[in-house]
């Protein structure tokens, strides 16, 4: 069962995070401000067919709107591919994925950059040895 309280609260939080008014957001969704306000103040549930559009415009995912996930991040195909590629690299390097996921993003990127630098240096070294 859809919890209209969760959906409305999350819609409001995401909208406010973008600095949009209810009127602006309603316009992006092709609805009136009063309809949108009803969804946010939880007096009404958005129609099921509207939820994918709401998620798209608010740049989130349906699981987050439904309250099934605490991550509002909307992952594009490119972002998902990038995440999978990073996880494959970490696995190849023998780095525990759970530990890596707990690192701050900047620290994880530093680790990946370090190995990228090391690999690039080794390849250049190999190239120079081959030429000589």
């Amino acid at each position: 069962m859809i919890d209209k309280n969760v959906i409305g609260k999350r819609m409001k939080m995401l909208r406010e995070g973008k600095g949009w008014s209810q009127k602006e957001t309603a316009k992006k969704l092709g609805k009136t401000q009063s309809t949108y306000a009803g969804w946010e103040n939880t007096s009404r549930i958005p129609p099921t067919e509207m939820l994918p559009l709401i998620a798209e415009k608010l740049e989130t995912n349906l699981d987050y709107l439904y309250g099934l996930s605490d991550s509002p991040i909307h992952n594009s195909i490119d972002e998902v591919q990038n995440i999978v590629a990073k996880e494959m690299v970490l696995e190849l390097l023998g780095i525990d994925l759970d530990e890596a996921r707990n690192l701050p993003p900047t620290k994880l990127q530093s680790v990946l950059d370090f190995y990228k630098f090391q690999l690039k240096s080794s390849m250049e070294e190999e190239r120079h040895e081959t030429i000589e």
Side-chain angles (χ1 to χ4, degrees), residues 13-77:
M13 184 190 69
L14 291 164
R15 174 186 61 77
E16 288 176 343
K18 295 187 167 306
W20 296 346
S21 67
Q22 283 185 341
K23 186 175 183 176
E24 287 173 296
T25 309
K27 186 175 180 181
K28 291 175 189 295
L29 296 169
K31 298 295 177 185
T32 64
Q33 181 179 356
S34 63
T35 296
Y36 184 82
W39 296 340
E40 264 193 19
N41 71 26
T42 69
S43 62
R44 290 180 268 175
I45 299 174
T48 305
E49 65 272 7
M50 282 297 301
L51 290 170
L53 180 62
I54 292 167
E56 178 187 327
K57 296 298 180 186
L58 293 174
E59 297 178 334
T60 192
N61 57 68
L62 290 173
D63 284 349
Y64 180 75
L65 283 180
Y66 283 121
L68 301 173
S69 166
D70 290 329
S71 175
I73 298 170
H74 172 72
N75 292 325
S76 69
I77 300 274

Side-chain angles (χ1 to χ4, degrees), residues 82-123:
N82 191 24
I83 290 167
V84 169
K86 282 182 181 178
E87 287 186 354
M88 287 174 64
V89 168
L90 291 168
E91 243 179 63
L92 287 169
L93 295 170
I95 297 171
D96 184 75
L97 291 179
D98 290 329
E99 288 179 18
R101 285 185 189 112
N102 290 328
L103 288 173
T106 53
K107 187 72 166 174
L108 177 58
Q109 191 59 52
S110 295
V111 168
L112 292 170
D113 289 345
F114 171 76
Y115 282 106
K116 183 178 174 183
F117 173 79
Q118 291 295 95
L119 180 61
K120 190 175 180 181
S121 296
S122 294
M123 290 172 69

